């Protein structure tokens, strides 16, 4: 009998212990993943959103107006792509005024267009967005503005840039140039530029161009022959950050170093902007930090 009693006691003890474990488990919440730490960036302004939902994921002085440098060219491309009956294969003859403009403006980056060459609108978009050609921007403004003189056409094109900004709800944006070399009234914000880039990415040609790391394009020379133009993208995220979709770099004495960026991972697309970062290296590092953070949110 004594052995039987010991067995009963042992079973009871096991049952009580198991019950205690089950009871404790019922009141223990499952472990939660720690919220990602908000990153510190060198840029004076930044903004990131979920491109699918529009949800804000990060802000830093997101509505403070700043000089935008060549991120302005996103709007240049957007205005061109919105033209009715746009023929991307129509040809534009490179004028001396475009190359003179590069010489006259020390901060003007160039697609190295050659006077007399005939380049297509599509090629000009590559020259605009990859090497950030201010000569390509000038050619597009001259082509798609309205007026009997080049000055009138450029003014008209910049007017289209501003009317487009207004239609997109970019309330803290104004353009006074086709390329970001402003005359004192060319500004935007991280939030507005992100909004613009998100809209521009709806155009398949824009998506194709800004995702291109480098390209070689055959253009027609003045004499009717051909030459190859090679352009490399200034966006260091391409090839260095998995899932990068684009979008555009910018720099200038006042703008410092800017970057509008977008990437997709795991079916989630994030898009954002950093303005007035401290160097080329830091604007890229800022963007990577913000995207890493945003993909975890």
């Amino acid at each position: 009998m004594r052995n039987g009693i010991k067995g009963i006691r042992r079973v009871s003890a096991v049952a009580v212990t198991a019950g205690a474990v089950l009871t404790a488990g019922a009141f223990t919440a499952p472990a939660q993943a720690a919220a990602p730490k908000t990153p510190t960036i060198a840029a004076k302004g930044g903004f990131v959103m979920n491109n699918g939902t529009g949800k804000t994921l990060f802000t830093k002085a997101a509505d403070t107006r700043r000089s935008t440098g060549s991120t302005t060219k996103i709007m240049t491309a957007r205005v061109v792509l919105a033209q009715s009956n746009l023929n991307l294969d129509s040809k534009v003859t490179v004028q001396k005024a475009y190359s003179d403009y590069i010489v006259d403006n020390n901060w003007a980056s160039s697609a190295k267009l050659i006077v007399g060459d005939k380049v297509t609108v599509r090629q000009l978009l590559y020259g605009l967005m990859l090497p950030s050609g201010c000569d390509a921007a000038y050619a597009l403004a001259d082509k798609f503005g309205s007026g009997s003189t080049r000055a009138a056409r450029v003014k008209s094109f910049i007017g289209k840039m501003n009317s487009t900004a207004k239609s997109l709800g970019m309330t803290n944006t104004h353009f006074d140039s086709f390329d970001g070399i402003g005359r004192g009234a060319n500004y935007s914000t991280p939030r507005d530029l992100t909004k613009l880039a998100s809209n521009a990415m709806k155009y398949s040609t824009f998506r194709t161009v800004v995702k291109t790391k480098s390209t070689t394009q055959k253009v027609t020379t003045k004499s009717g022959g051909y030459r190859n133009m090679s352009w490399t993208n200034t966006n260091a995220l391409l090839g260095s950050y998995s899932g990068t979709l684009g979008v555009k770099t910018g720099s200038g004495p006042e703008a410092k170093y800017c970057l509008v960026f977008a990437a997709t991972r795991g079916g989630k697309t994030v898009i954002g902007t950093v303005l007035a970062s401290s160097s080329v290296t830091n604007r890229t590092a800022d963007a990577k930090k913000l995207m890493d953070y945003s993909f975890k949110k």
Side-chain angles (χ1 to χ4, degrees):
M1 284 296 293
R2 285 182 180 176
N3 288 339
I5 291 169
K6 284 182 181 178
I8 292 169
R9 285 175 180 168
R10 192 177 298 115
V11 171
S12 299
V14 171
V16 169
T17 304
V21 171
L22 288 170
T23 303
F27 291 98
T28 303
Q32 296 292 323
K37 185 180 178 182
T38 304
T40 300
I41 58 174
K44 290 183 179 178
F47 180 82
V48 187
M49 73 177 188
N50 182 318
N51 197 49
T53 65
K55 180 184 177 183
T56 296
L57 302 173
F58 175 90
T59 65
K60 177 183 178 181
D63 299 307
T64 300
R65 296 174 176 180
R66 299 186 189 279
S67 178
T68 58
S70 286
T71 60
T72 297
K73 290 168 181 153
I74 299 171
M75 180 60 88
T76 308
R78 167 64 174 75
V79 169
V80 170
L81 291 168
Q83 298 299 305
S84 58
N85 302 314
L86 176 65
N87 179 4
L88 289 167
D89 296 316
S90 64
K91 292 186 176 181
V92 176
T93 302
V94 178
Q95 304 296 314
K96 186 173 182 293
Y98 311 156
S99 57
D100 286 349
Y101 178 80
I102 299 295
V103 174
D104 294 341
N105 290 276
N106 292 333
W107 271 83
S109 45
S110 175
K112 302 187 186 308
L113 300 179
I114 297 172
V115 177
D117 280 3
K118 290 181 173 60
V119 294
T120 67
V121 172
R122 190 192 312 275
Q123 289 169 337
L124 285 173
L125 288 170
Y126 278 101
L128 174 78
M129 300 302 284
L130 272 64
S132 198
C134 295
D135 44 358
Y138 197 169
L140 289 167
D142 192 8
K143 165 78 172 172
F144 291 102
S146 302
S148 57
T149 66
R150 183 173 293 117
R153 290 191 292 274
V154 167
K155 183 178 180 180
S156 163
F157 187 88
I158 295 169
K160 291 180 182 182
M161 294 170 71
N162 284 311
S163 61
T164 301
K166 186 176 181 180
S167 72
L168 294 177
M170 298 169 65
T171 55
N172 287 301
T173 297
H174 184 266
F175 298 107
D176 70 357
S177 74
F178 47 73
D179 59 0
I181 300 179
R183 305 294 181 264
N186 203 90
Y187 57 80
S188 189
T189 68
R191 190 190 305 271
D192 277 4
L193 282 174
T194 302
K195 193 179 293 186
L196 167 61
S198 177
N199 180 270
M201 290 291 272
K202 293 178 180 179
Y203 291 85
S204 61
T205 299
F206 185 88
R207 293 196 303 273
T208 298
V209 169
V210 299
K211 196 177 181 180
T212 301
K213 239 181 130 176
S214 63
T215 186
T216 298
Q217 300 281 332
K218 182 185 282 188
V219 303
T220 307
T221 64
K222 187 176 183 179
S223 62
Y226 295 94
R227 83 169 88 248
N228 288 324
M229 300 293 289
S230 295
W231 295 308
T232 301
N233 205 315
T234 55
N235 185 356
L237 289 172
L238 292 164
S240 73
Y241 190 86
S242 175
T244 295
L245 303 175
V247 174
K248 185 73 186 74
T249 61
S251 62
E254 188 182 352
K256 303 306 178 189
Y257 300 92
C258 312
L259 181 57
V260 181
F261 52 87
T264 295
R265 285 185 180 177
K268 179 180 181 179
T269 300
V270 298
I271 189 163
T273 301
V274 289
L275 292 182
S277 194
S278 52
S279 68
V280 169
T281 300
N282 283 338
R283 74 181 174 195
T284 304
D286 285 343
K288 287 181 178 180
K289 281 184 194 176
L290 293 182
M291 289 191 288
D292 283 344
Y293 170 73
S294 297
F295 280 125
K296 290 174 185 173
K297 289 200 75 176

